[in-house]
Amino acid sequence: MKKATVGAAVVGAAAVCAVAALIVNHRMRKSNKWARAISILREFEEKCGTPDSKLKQVADAMTVEMHAGLASEGGSKLKMLITYVDNLPTGDEAGVFYALDLGGTNFRVLRVQLGGKDGGIIHQEFAEASIPPSLMVGTSDALFDYIAAELAKFVAEEEEKFHQPDGKQRELGFTFSFPVMQTSINSGTIMRWTKGFSIDDAVGQDVVGELTKAMKRKGVDMRVSALVNDTVGTLAGGKYTHKDVAVAVILGTGTNAAYVERVQAIPKWHGPVPKSGEMVGILSVAIDLILSLWLLQKWLLNASCVSFQVINMEWGNFRSSHLPLTEYDHALDNESLNPGEQIFEKMTSGMYLGEILRRVLLRVAEEAGIFGDEVPPKLKNPFVLRTPDMSAMHHDTSSDLKIVGDKLKDILEISNTSLKTRRLVVEFCNIVATRGARLAAAGVLGILKKMGRDTPRQGGPERTVIAMDGGLYEHYTEYSTCLENSLKELLGEELAASIVFVHSNDGSGIGAALLAASHSMYLEE
Protein backbone atom coordinates (compact mmCIF):
# COMPACT_ATOMS: atom_id res chain seq x y z
CA MET A 1 0.00 0.00 0.00
CA LYS A 2 2.81 2.33 0.87
CA LYS A 3 4.58 1.49 -2.37
CA ALA A 4 1.43 2.31 -4.34
CA THR A 5 1.03 5.60 -2.51
CA VAL A 6 4.63 6.54 -3.12
CA GLY A 7 4.30 5.54 -6.78
CA ALA A 8 1.18 7.69 -7.21
CA ALA A 9 2.91 10.62 -5.58
CA VAL A 10 5.88 10.24 -7.89
CA VAL A 11 3.63 10.08 -10.95
CA GLY A 12 1.69 13.11 -9.72
CA ALA A 13 4.85 15.06 -9.09
CA ALA A 14 6.16 14.13 -12.53
CA ALA A 15 2.93 15.33 -14.11
CA VAL A 16 3.11 18.61 -12.25
CA CYS A 17 6.72 19.05 -13.32
CA ALA A 18 5.80 18.25 -16.91
CA VAL A 19 3.01 20.83 -16.90
CA ALA A 20 5.31 23.35 -15.27
CA ALA A 21 7.96 22.61 -17.89
CA LEU A 22 5.42 23.15 -20.65
CA ILE A 23 4.38 26.46 -19.15
CA VAL A 24 7.99 27.56 -18.77
CA ASN A 25 8.80 26.49 -22.33
CA HIS A 26 5.75 28.29 -23.64
CA ARG A 27 6.70 31.42 -21.74
CA MET A 28 10.29 31.16 -22.94
CA ARG A 29 9.16 30.75 -26.56
CA LYS A 30 6.80 33.69 -26.15
CA SER A 31 9.58 35.71 -24.54
CA ASN A 32 12.00 34.78 -27.31
CA LYS A 33 9.43 35.73 -29.96
CA TRP A 34 8.82 39.08 -28.33
CA ALA A 35 12.56 39.67 -28.09
CA ARG A 36 12.76 38.95 -31.82
CA ALA A 37 9.97 41.46 -32.50
CA ILE A 38 11.79 44.13 -30.51
CA SER A 39 15.02 43.26 -32.34
CA ILE A 40 13.33 43.80 -35.72
CA LEU A 41 11.88 47.09 -34.46
CA ARG A 42 15.27 48.39 -33.32
CA GLU A 43 16.96 47.27 -36.53
CA PHE A 44 14.29 48.99 -38.61
CA GLU A 45 14.53 52.14 -36.52
CA GLU A 46 18.30 52.25 -37.03
CA LYS A 47 18.12 51.71 -40.79
CA CYS A 48 15.42 54.40 -41.13
CA GLY A 49 17.43 56.84 -39.04
CA THR A 50 17.50 60.44 -40.23
CA PRO A 51 19.90 62.36 -38.00
CA ASP A 52 20.40 66.02 -38.90
CA SER A 53 23.79 65.22 -40.45
CA LYS A 54 22.22 62.77 -42.90
CA LEU A 55 19.37 65.15 -43.75
CA LYS A 56 21.88 67.87 -44.59
CA GLN A 57 23.63 65.44 -46.92
CA VAL A 58 20.30 64.69 -48.60
CA ALA A 59 19.61 68.43 -48.92
CA ASP A 60 23.04 69.02 -50.48
CA ALA A 61 22.43 66.17 -52.93
CA MET A 62 19.04 67.67 -53.84
CA THR A 63 20.69 71.03 -54.56
CA VAL A 64 23.35 69.41 -56.75
CA GLU A 65 20.67 67.55 -58.75
CA MET A 66 18.70 70.79 -59.15
CA HIS A 67 21.73 72.51 -60.65
CA ALA A 68 22.30 69.57 -63.02
CA GLY A 69 18.65 69.49 -64.09
CA LEU A 70 18.66 73.22 -64.84
CA ALA A 71 21.87 72.92 -66.86
CA SER A 72 20.60 70.49 -69.49
CA GLU A 73 17.71 68.22 -70.39
CA GLY A 74 18.37 64.73 -69.05
CA GLY A 75 21.28 65.95 -66.94
CA SER A 76 19.65 64.87 -63.69
CA LYS A 77 17.10 62.53 -62.17
CA LEU A 78 15.18 65.75 -61.50
CA LYS A 79 13.50 66.94 -64.69
CA MET A 80 13.43 70.59 -63.54
CA LEU A 81 10.77 71.43 -66.12
CA ILE A 82 10.40 75.01 -67.34
CA THR A 83 6.72 75.85 -66.93
CA TYR A 84 6.67 79.19 -68.80
CA VAL A 85 4.84 80.61 -65.79
CA ASP A 86 6.56 83.96 -65.37
CA ASN A 87 3.68 85.96 -63.97
CA LEU A 88 2.27 84.69 -60.70
CA PRO A 89 -0.95 86.08 -59.19
CA THR A 90 -0.59 89.26 -57.13
CA GLY A 91 -4.02 89.45 -55.52
CA ASP A 92 -5.02 92.35 -57.78
CA GLU A 93 -6.63 90.14 -60.45
CA ALA A 94 -10.29 90.84 -61.18
CA GLY A 95 -12.93 89.18 -63.30
CA VAL A 96 -14.36 85.74 -64.00
CA PHE A 97 -11.97 82.94 -64.95
CA TYR A 98 -12.35 79.24 -65.59
CA ALA A 99 -10.39 76.06 -64.96
CA LEU A 100 -10.49 72.59 -66.45
CA ASP A 101 -8.92 69.88 -64.30
CA LEU A 102 -8.33 66.66 -66.25
CA GLY A 103 -6.46 64.29 -63.98
CA GLY A 104 -7.96 60.86 -64.58
CA THR A 105 -11.29 59.19 -65.15
CA ASN A 106 -13.11 62.24 -63.76
CA PHE A 107 -12.66 65.88 -64.70
CA ARG A 108 -13.85 69.16 -63.19
CA VAL A 109 -14.87 72.49 -64.68
CA LEU A 110 -14.60 75.51 -62.36
CA ARG A 111 -15.64 79.14 -62.46
CA VAL A 112 -13.88 81.57 -60.14
CA GLN A 113 -14.80 85.24 -59.70
CA LEU A 114 -11.95 87.43 -58.46
CA GLY A 115 -12.62 90.75 -56.74
CA GLY A 116 -9.42 92.64 -57.51
CA LYS A 117 -7.26 94.31 -54.89
CA ASP A 118 -8.36 93.22 -51.41
CA GLY A 119 -11.44 91.60 -52.94
CA GLY A 120 -10.17 88.03 -52.97
CA ILE A 121 -12.21 85.16 -54.37
CA ILE A 122 -15.80 86.37 -54.45
CA HIS A 123 -17.42 83.28 -55.89
CA GLN A 124 -16.46 79.78 -57.00
CA GLU A 125 -18.39 76.78 -58.25
CA PHE A 126 -17.64 73.63 -60.16
CA ALA A 127 -19.19 70.73 -62.02
CA GLU A 128 -17.72 67.23 -62.22
CA ALA A 129 -18.14 64.59 -64.89
CA SER A 130 -16.88 61.06 -65.50
CA ILE A 131 -15.23 60.05 -68.74
CA PRO A 132 -16.89 56.99 -70.31
CA PRO A 133 -14.44 54.07 -70.63
CA SER A 134 -14.91 53.96 -74.41
CA LEU A 135 -13.55 57.51 -74.72
CA MET A 136 -10.43 56.61 -72.72
CA VAL A 137 -9.31 54.35 -75.59
CA GLY A 138 -10.98 56.15 -78.49
CA THR A 139 -9.90 59.12 -80.59
CA SER A 140 -8.62 62.55 -79.65
CA ASP A 141 -11.62 64.27 -81.24
CA ALA A 142 -14.08 62.06 -79.34
CA LEU A 143 -12.46 62.72 -75.96
CA PHE A 144 -12.06 66.47 -76.33
CA ASP A 145 -15.50 66.89 -77.95
CA TYR A 146 -16.98 65.25 -74.84
CA ILE A 147 -15.04 67.58 -72.54
CA ALA A 148 -15.93 70.64 -74.62
CA ALA A 149 -19.61 69.65 -74.53
CA GLU A 150 -19.49 69.58 -70.72
CA LEU A 151 -17.77 72.99 -70.77
CA ALA A 152 -20.53 74.31 -73.05
CA LYS A 153 -23.20 73.01 -70.67
CA PHE A 154 -21.44 74.59 -67.67
CA VAL A 155 -21.24 77.98 -69.42
CA ALA A 156 -24.82 77.81 -70.72
CA GLU A 157 -26.17 77.37 -67.19
CA GLU A 158 -24.26 80.24 -65.62
CA GLU A 159 -25.94 83.37 -64.32
CA GLU A 160 -25.93 86.52 -66.44
CA LYS A 161 -23.63 88.33 -64.01
CA PHE A 162 -20.82 85.98 -65.08
CA HIS A 163 -21.19 86.74 -68.78
CA GLN A 164 -18.24 88.39 -70.53
CA PRO A 165 -18.61 91.78 -72.27
CA ASP A 166 -19.02 91.69 -76.05
CA GLY A 167 -15.77 90.99 -77.84
CA LYS A 168 -14.07 89.51 -74.76
CA GLN A 169 -13.34 85.79 -74.60
CA ARG A 170 -13.64 83.67 -71.51
CA GLU A 171 -10.21 82.52 -70.30
CA LEU A 172 -9.33 79.10 -68.96
CA GLY A 173 -6.53 77.50 -66.95
CA PHE A 174 -6.07 73.89 -68.05
CA THR A 175 -4.60 71.35 -65.60
CA PHE A 176 -3.58 68.33 -67.66
CA SER A 177 -2.16 65.63 -65.39
CA PHE A 178 -0.54 63.46 -68.01
CA PRO A 179 3.03 63.53 -69.41
CA VAL A 180 3.36 66.59 -71.63
CA MET A 181 6.30 68.51 -73.07
CA GLN A 182 5.35 72.12 -72.50
CA THR A 183 6.39 74.57 -75.23
CA SER A 184 4.81 77.80 -73.95
CA ILE A 185 2.48 79.01 -71.21
CA ASN A 186 -0.48 77.71 -73.23
CA SER A 187 0.84 74.88 -75.39
CA GLY A 188 2.32 71.46 -74.83
CA THR A 189 2.81 68.19 -76.69
CA ILE A 190 1.23 65.03 -75.30
CA MET A 191 4.08 62.56 -74.72
CA ARG A 192 2.09 59.51 -73.62
CA TRP A 193 -1.05 58.50 -71.77
CA THR A 194 -1.26 56.94 -68.29
CA LYS A 195 -4.03 56.02 -65.79
CA GLY A 196 -5.85 53.70 -68.19
CA PHE A 197 -6.01 56.12 -71.14
CA SER A 198 -4.70 55.06 -74.56
CA ILE A 199 -5.53 57.52 -77.34
CA ASP A 200 -2.89 56.99 -79.99
CA ASP A 201 -3.81 59.80 -82.39
CA ALA A 202 -3.43 62.40 -79.60
CA VAL A 203 0.19 61.50 -78.84
CA GLY A 204 2.50 64.08 -80.38
CA GLN A 205 -0.30 66.64 -80.64
CA ASP A 206 -0.61 69.96 -78.80
CA VAL A 207 -3.11 69.26 -76.03
CA VAL A 208 -4.26 72.89 -75.96
CA GLY A 209 -4.74 72.82 -79.73
CA GLU A 210 -6.86 69.67 -79.44
CA LEU A 211 -9.05 71.24 -76.74
CA THR A 212 -9.32 74.54 -78.63
CA LYS A 213 -10.53 72.81 -81.82
CA ALA A 214 -13.11 70.87 -79.82
CA MET A 215 -14.37 74.03 -78.09
CA LYS A 216 -14.77 75.67 -81.49
CA ARG A 217 -16.74 72.67 -82.76
CA LYS A 218 -19.03 72.89 -79.71
CA GLY A 219 -19.47 76.65 -79.90
CA VAL A 220 -17.56 77.47 -76.71
CA ASP A 221 -15.97 80.92 -76.99
CA MET A 222 -13.10 80.29 -74.61
CA ARG A 223 -9.32 80.68 -74.75
CA VAL A 224 -6.77 78.58 -72.85
CA SER A 225 -4.53 81.14 -71.13
CA ALA A 226 -2.40 78.69 -69.16
CA LEU A 227 -1.53 74.99 -69.34
CA VAL A 228 -0.50 74.06 -65.82
CA ASN A 229 0.63 71.34 -63.44
CA ASP A 230 -1.14 70.93 -60.09
CA THR A 231 2.02 71.75 -58.11
CA VAL A 232 2.48 75.01 -60.03
CA GLY A 233 -1.21 75.69 -59.38
CA THR A 234 -0.54 75.21 -55.66
CA LEU A 235 2.24 77.79 -55.89
CA ALA A 236 -0.09 80.20 -57.69
CA GLY A 237 -2.86 79.69 -55.15
CA GLY A 238 -0.47 80.37 -52.30
CA LYS A 239 0.97 83.43 -54.03
CA TYR A 240 -2.50 84.91 -54.48
CA THR A 241 -2.95 85.30 -50.73
CA HIS A 242 0.69 85.34 -49.51
CA LYS A 243 3.05 87.47 -51.56
CA ASP A 244 6.15 85.80 -50.06
CA VAL A 245 5.34 82.32 -51.38
CA ALA A 246 8.42 80.98 -53.18
CA VAL A 247 8.03 77.20 -52.91
CA ALA A 248 5.13 74.77 -53.29
CA VAL A 249 5.08 71.14 -52.21
CA ILE A 250 2.37 68.53 -52.77
CA LEU A 251 2.34 65.54 -50.45
CA GLY A 252 -0.58 63.32 -51.29
CA THR A 253 -0.79 60.02 -53.12
CA GLY A 254 2.37 61.18 -54.89
CA THR A 255 4.67 64.10 -54.24
CA ASN A 256 6.19 67.00 -56.18
CA ALA A 257 7.62 70.46 -55.66
CA ALA A 258 7.84 73.70 -57.61
CA TYR A 259 9.66 76.93 -56.87
CA VAL A 260 10.53 80.34 -58.30
CA GLU A 261 13.90 80.47 -60.07
CA ARG A 262 15.87 83.31 -61.69
CA VAL A 263 16.01 82.96 -65.49
CA GLN A 264 19.72 83.77 -65.30
CA ALA A 265 20.20 80.60 -63.22
CA ILE A 266 18.65 78.32 -65.88
CA PRO A 267 21.41 77.49 -68.40
CA LYS A 268 19.07 75.31 -70.49
CA TRP A 269 16.66 78.23 -70.98
CA HIS A 270 17.02 79.38 -74.57
CA GLY A 271 13.91 81.50 -74.88
CA PRO A 272 13.63 85.27 -74.61
CA VAL A 273 13.74 86.86 -71.18
CA PRO A 274 10.10 86.75 -70.02
CA LYS A 275 8.38 90.08 -70.38
CA SER A 276 5.99 89.52 -67.50
CA GLY A 277 8.33 88.28 -64.79
CA GLU A 278 8.50 89.63 -61.30
CA MET A 279 11.08 92.39 -61.24
CA VAL A 280 13.67 92.82 -58.59
CA GLY A 281 15.66 96.01 -58.55
CA ILE A 282 17.88 97.59 -55.96
CA LEU A 283 15.29 100.23 -55.25
CA SER A 284 15.81 100.85 -51.58
CA VAL A 285 19.57 101.50 -51.63
CA ALA A 286 20.46 104.77 -49.99
CA ILE A 287 23.10 106.37 -52.18
CA ASP A 288 25.52 108.43 -50.23
CA LEU A 289 26.24 111.71 -52.02
CA ILE A 290 29.95 111.28 -51.58
CA LEU A 291 30.05 108.08 -53.68
CA SER A 292 32.27 108.47 -56.69
CA LEU A 293 30.73 108.53 -60.14
CA TRP A 294 32.15 105.15 -61.17
CA LEU A 295 30.53 103.44 -58.14
CA LEU A 296 27.20 105.00 -59.04
CA GLN A 297 27.54 103.78 -62.64
CA LYS A 298 28.34 100.27 -61.40
CA TRP A 299 25.26 100.32 -59.18
CA LEU A 300 23.06 101.40 -62.08
CA LEU A 301 24.37 98.60 -64.27
CA ASN A 302 23.76 95.96 -61.60
CA ALA A 303 20.31 97.26 -60.67
CA SER A 304 18.72 95.95 -63.83
CA CYS A 305 15.66 93.80 -63.38
CA VAL A 306 15.79 90.07 -62.93
CA SER A 307 13.09 87.83 -64.46
CA PHE A 308 11.78 84.61 -63.02
CA GLN A 309 10.40 81.26 -64.13
CA VAL A 310 8.50 78.76 -62.07
CA ILE A 311 10.26 75.39 -62.18
CA ASN A 312 8.35 72.13 -61.85
CA MET A 313 10.96 69.90 -60.22
CA GLU A 314 9.27 66.49 -60.47
CA TRP A 315 11.20 65.76 -57.27
CA GLY A 316 9.58 62.38 -56.70
CA ASN A 317 12.28 60.94 -58.96
CA PHE A 318 15.13 62.20 -56.76
CA ARG A 319 17.51 59.59 -55.46
CA SER A 320 20.81 59.69 -53.59
CA SER A 321 23.19 57.32 -51.85
CA HIS A 322 22.38 59.26 -48.67
CA LEU A 323 18.73 58.15 -48.61
CA PRO A 324 18.18 55.64 -45.77
CA LEU A 325 16.81 52.79 -47.88
CA THR A 326 15.90 49.50 -46.19
CA GLU A 327 15.31 45.99 -47.49
CA TYR A 328 11.57 46.79 -47.47
CA ASP A 329 12.10 49.80 -49.76
CA HIS A 330 14.21 47.76 -52.17
CA ALA A 331 11.61 44.99 -52.30
CA LEU A 332 8.76 47.49 -52.82
CA ASP A 333 10.70 49.18 -55.63
CA ASN A 334 11.63 45.91 -57.36
CA GLU A 335 8.01 44.78 -57.38
CA SER A 336 6.63 48.16 -58.54
CA LEU A 337 5.54 49.13 -62.05
CA ASN A 338 8.53 51.48 -62.31
CA PRO A 339 11.58 49.87 -60.67
CA GLY A 340 14.45 52.29 -60.08
CA GLU A 341 12.21 55.32 -60.58
CA GLN A 342 10.43 57.68 -58.15
CA ILE A 343 12.56 56.51 -55.21
CA PHE A 344 12.02 59.70 -53.17
CA GLU A 345 8.28 59.45 -53.76
CA LYS A 346 8.28 55.82 -52.63
CA MET A 347 9.82 56.88 -49.29
CA THR A 348 7.73 59.98 -48.60
CA SER A 349 4.29 59.86 -50.22
CA GLY A 350 0.87 58.54 -49.29
CA MET A 351 0.82 55.86 -51.97
CA TYR A 352 3.63 53.94 -50.29
CA LEU A 353 3.90 54.63 -46.53
CA GLY A 354 1.18 52.13 -45.63
CA GLU A 355 2.76 49.51 -47.88
CA ILE A 356 6.17 49.92 -46.21
CA LEU A 357 4.43 49.41 -42.85
CA ARG A 358 2.68 46.28 -44.14
CA ARG A 359 5.97 44.78 -45.30
CA VAL A 360 7.74 45.22 -41.98
CA LEU A 361 4.71 43.95 -40.04
CA LEU A 362 4.67 40.88 -42.28
CA ARG A 363 8.27 40.12 -41.35
CA VAL A 364 7.51 40.53 -37.65
CA ALA A 365 4.50 38.20 -38.04
CA GLU A 366 6.62 35.58 -39.82
CA GLU A 367 9.63 35.69 -37.51
CA ALA A 368 8.14 36.66 -34.16
CA GLY A 369 4.52 35.51 -34.42
CA ILE A 370 3.12 38.69 -32.85
CA PHE A 371 -0.29 38.02 -34.44
CA GLY A 372 -0.41 34.34 -33.52
CA ASP A 373 1.15 31.09 -34.71
CA GLU A 374 -0.20 31.58 -38.23
CA VAL A 375 0.68 34.55 -40.40
CA PRO A 376 -2.56 36.43 -41.18
CA PRO A 377 -3.27 35.75 -44.88
CA LYS A 378 -4.44 39.29 -45.62
CA LEU A 379 -1.13 40.70 -44.36
CA LYS A 380 0.46 39.08 -47.41
CA ASN A 381 -1.62 41.19 -49.84
CA PRO A 382 0.31 44.16 -51.30
CA PHE A 383 -1.20 47.59 -50.57
CA VAL A 384 -3.96 46.15 -48.36
CA LEU A 385 -2.83 48.54 -45.61
CA ARG A 386 -3.37 52.11 -46.83
CA THR A 387 -1.66 55.22 -45.49
CA PRO A 388 -4.95 56.69 -44.13
CA ASP A 389 -5.28 53.52 -42.02
CA MET A 390 -1.69 53.89 -40.84
CA SER A 391 -2.42 57.52 -39.97
CA ALA A 392 -5.50 56.54 -37.95
CA MET A 393 -3.46 54.02 -35.95
CA HIS A 394 -0.60 56.48 -35.45
CA HIS A 395 -3.00 59.12 -34.11
CA ASP A 396 -4.80 56.74 -31.71
CA THR A 397 -4.60 58.29 -28.22
CA SER A 398 -7.07 55.98 -26.46
CA SER A 399 -5.75 54.15 -23.38
CA ASP A 400 -6.35 50.73 -24.94
CA LEU A 401 -5.43 51.79 -28.52
CA LYS A 402 -8.90 50.72 -29.65
CA ILE A 403 -8.52 52.24 -33.13
CA VAL A 404 -5.36 50.20 -33.70
CA GLY A 405 -7.18 47.04 -32.64
CA ASP A 406 -10.16 47.85 -34.86
CA LYS A 407 -7.99 48.55 -37.90
CA LEU A 408 -6.03 45.31 -37.47
CA LYS A 409 -9.31 43.42 -37.18
CA ASP A 410 -11.21 45.15 -39.99
CA ILE A 411 -8.39 45.30 -42.55
CA LEU A 412 -6.17 42.34 -41.74
CA GLU A 413 -8.69 40.13 -39.89
CA ILE A 414 -6.42 39.97 -36.84
CA SER A 415 -8.53 39.69 -33.68
CA ASN A 416 -7.78 39.93 -29.97
CA THR A 417 -4.45 41.71 -30.21
CA SER A 418 -2.79 42.56 -26.92
CA LEU A 419 -2.11 46.14 -25.87
CA LYS A 420 1.62 45.37 -26.08
CA THR A 421 1.23 44.31 -29.74
CA ARG A 422 -0.83 47.39 -30.56
CA ARG A 423 1.86 49.62 -29.05
CA LEU A 424 4.46 47.88 -31.21
CA VAL A 425 2.38 48.58 -34.32
CA VAL A 426 2.18 52.28 -33.40
CA GLU A 427 5.96 52.38 -32.97
CA PHE A 428 6.40 51.02 -36.50
CA CYS A 429 3.93 53.66 -37.79
CA ASN A 430 6.00 56.35 -36.11
CA ILE A 431 9.27 55.16 -37.66
CA VAL A 432 7.84 55.06 -41.20
CA ALA A 433 6.11 58.44 -40.92
CA THR A 434 9.03 60.17 -39.23
CA ARG A 435 11.48 59.05 -41.88
CA GLY A 436 9.17 60.20 -44.68
CA ALA A 437 8.45 63.58 -43.10
CA ARG A 438 12.09 64.32 -42.29
CA LEU A 439 13.20 63.38 -45.81
CA ALA A 440 10.54 65.72 -47.23
CA ALA A 441 11.91 68.45 -44.94
CA ALA A 442 15.42 67.76 -46.28
CA GLY A 443 14.06 68.14 -49.81
CA VAL A 444 12.63 71.56 -48.95
CA LEU A 445 15.95 72.52 -47.37
CA GLY A 446 17.65 71.60 -50.64
CA ILE A 447 15.35 73.99 -52.51
CA LEU A 448 16.01 76.78 -50.01
CA LYS A 449 19.77 76.20 -50.40
CA LYS A 450 19.43 76.50 -54.19
CA MET A 451 17.54 79.77 -53.71
CA GLY A 452 20.13 81.10 -51.28
CA ARG A 453 17.62 81.24 -48.43
CA ASP A 454 19.36 78.82 -46.08
CA THR A 455 21.78 81.32 -44.53
CA PRO A 456 21.15 84.62 -42.70
CA ARG A 457 21.37 87.81 -44.74
CA GLN A 458 22.47 91.26 -43.77
CA GLY A 459 19.44 93.01 -42.37
CA GLY A 460 17.78 89.77 -41.31
CA PRO A 461 16.51 86.66 -43.09
CA GLU A 462 14.12 86.94 -46.02
CA ARG A 463 10.60 85.77 -45.21
CA THR A 464 9.78 82.58 -47.11
CA VAL A 465 6.29 81.14 -47.37
CA ILE A 466 5.94 77.50 -48.44
CA ALA A 467 2.59 76.57 -49.99
CA MET A 468 1.57 73.01 -49.10
CA ASP A 469 -1.19 70.76 -50.41
CA GLY A 470 -2.12 67.09 -50.62
CA GLY A 471 -4.08 64.69 -48.45
CA LEU A 472 -1.00 63.33 -46.69
CA TYR A 473 0.05 66.81 -45.52
CA GLU A 474 -3.51 67.90 -44.76
CA HIS A 475 -4.75 64.85 -42.85
CA TYR A 476 -1.68 63.09 -41.39
CA THR A 477 -0.96 65.57 -38.59
CA GLU A 478 1.96 63.64 -37.07
CA TYR A 479 3.62 63.68 -40.49
CA SER A 480 3.06 67.35 -41.30
CA THR A 481 4.07 68.51 -37.82
CA CYS A 482 7.26 66.46 -37.99
CA LEU A 483 8.07 67.88 -41.43
CA GLU A 484 7.64 71.49 -40.32
CA ASN A 485 9.56 71.05 -37.06
CA SER A 486 12.39 69.18 -38.79
CA LEU A 487 12.90 71.91 -41.37
CA LYS A 488 13.02 74.58 -38.70
CA GLU A 489 15.51 72.56 -36.66
CA LEU A 490 17.74 72.14 -39.71
CA LEU A 491 17.65 75.87 -40.46
CA GLY A 492 18.34 77.02 -36.93
CA GLU A 493 16.42 79.39 -34.70
CA GLU A 494 17.14 82.64 -36.58
CA LEU A 495 16.11 81.37 -40.02
CA ALA A 496 13.26 79.24 -38.69
CA ALA A 497 11.45 82.41 -37.62
CA SER A 498 11.29 83.50 -41.28
CA ILE A 499 9.74 80.24 -42.57
CA VAL A 500 5.96 80.01 -42.81
CA PHE A 501 3.90 77.02 -44.01
CA VAL A 502 0.46 77.67 -45.51
CA HIS A 503 -2.13 75.25 -46.84
CA SER A 504 -2.88 76.18 -50.45
CA ASN A 505 -5.90 74.10 -51.37
CA ASP A 506 -6.95 72.93 -54.84
CA GLY A 507 -4.00 73.95 -57.00
CA SER A 508 -5.37 71.94 -59.91
CA GLY A 509 -8.64 73.90 -59.81
CA ILE A 510 -8.49 77.34 -58.23
CA GLY A 511 -4.74 77.59 -58.87
CA ALA A 512 -5.28 76.97 -62.58
CA ALA A 513 -7.99 79.67 -62.73
CA LEU A 514 -5.65 82.11 -60.97
CA LEU A 515 -2.92 81.40 -63.53
CA ALA A 516 -5.43 82.03 -66.30
CA ALA A 517 -6.01 85.42 -64.67
CA SER A 518 -2.33 86.28 -64.25
CA HIS A 519 -1.64 85.33 -67.89
CA SER A 520 -4.77 86.96 -69.30
CA MET A 521 -4.48 88.50 -72.76
CA TYR A 522 -6.40 91.48 -71.38
CA LEU A 523 -3.92 92.42 -68.65
CA GLU A 524 -2.65 95.45 -70.56
CA GLU A 525 -6.11 96.94 -70.95
Side-chain angles (χ1 to χ4, degrees), residues 2 35 70 79 133 168 183 208 237 264 304 307 310 324 331 362 416 445 461 471 474 524:
K2 286 183 179 179
L70 291 173
K79 292 181 181 177
K168 188 173 182 179
T183 50
V208 173
Q264 288 81 353
S304 58
S307 294
V310 174
L362 176 60
N416 303 319
L445 177 61
E474 185 177 0
E524 302 303 320

Side-chain angles (χ1 to χ4, degrees), residues 304-491:
S304 58
C305 61
V306 180
S307 294
F308 288 82
Q309 272 284 335
V310 174
I311 298 295
N312 168 19
M313 291 177 61
E314 294 293 341
W315 82 347
N317 205 38
F318 169 71
R319 72 177 304 164
S320 162
S321 60
H322 299 298
L323 292 175
L325 290 160
T326 68
E327 63 198 82
Y328 312 101
D329 299 295
H330 289 300
L332 185 155
D333 178 49
N334 290 335
E335 295 168 26
S336 70
L337 296 173
N338 54 347
E341 301 294 323
Q342 301 297 111
I343 299 300
F344 193 62
E345 182 169 87
K346 288 169 183 173
M347 299 178 77
T348 59
S349 78
M351 178 75 181
Y352 301 100
L353 298 183
E355 173 62 5
I356 295 168
L357 175 65
R358 181 197 70 82
R359 287 172 180 268
V360 69
L361 289 180
L362 176 60
R363 182 182 171 198
V364 179
E366 290 172 338
E367 297 186 18
I370 62 167
F371 300 127
D373 293 335
E374 297 294 325
V375 176
K378 286 217 167 180
L379 191 55
K380 298 178 182 180
N381 297 340
F383 292 95
V384 68
L385 193 58
R386 298 162 54 251
T387 301
D389 302 316
M390 170 181 156
S391 172
M393 293 191 291
H394 195 177
H395 289 125
D396 189 356
T397 57
S398 61
S399 59
D400 60 349
L401 295 178
K402 183 179 184 301
I403 294 172
V404 177
D406 289 346
K407 289 291 181 184
L408 293 174
K409 182 180 178 181
D410 296 342
I411 299 165
L412 302 174
E413 297 180 354
I414 302 171
S415 302
N416 303 319
T417 49
S418 67
L419 181 57
K420 185 164 68 169
T421 298
R422 295 177 190 183
R423 284 174 177 157
L424 185 72
V425 170
V426 173
E427 284 200 59
F428 278 115
C429 291
N430 186 61
I431 293 169
V432 174
T434 297
R435 183 188 67 165
R438 284 177 64 79
L439 287 176
V444 176
L445 177 61
I447 298 173
L448 297 178
K449 288 173 73 71
K450 175 66 183 71
M451 300 176 75
R453 298 191 182 203
D454 63 318
T455 53
R457 296 186 178 188
Q458 191 173 5
E462 184 175 2
R463 186 173 185 266
T464 301
V465 178
I466 301 168
M468 305 291 298
D469 197 14
L472 180 63
Y473 176 82
E474 185 177 0
H475 301 299
Y476 201 149
T477 307
E478 289 283 347
Y479 185 104
S480 54
T481 301
C482 179
L483 188 162
E484 294 175 12
N485 290 340
S486 297
L487 179 62
K488 292 182 177 183
E489 287 169 11
L490 290 166
L491 287 169

Side-chain angles (χ1 to χ4, degrees), residues 227-246:
L227 175 63
V228 304
N229 159 278
D230 57 354
T231 315
V232 177
T234 298
L235 183 64
K239 189 77 170 177
Y240 183 70
T241 51
H242 300 83
K243 66 181 181 65
D244 294 322
V245 164

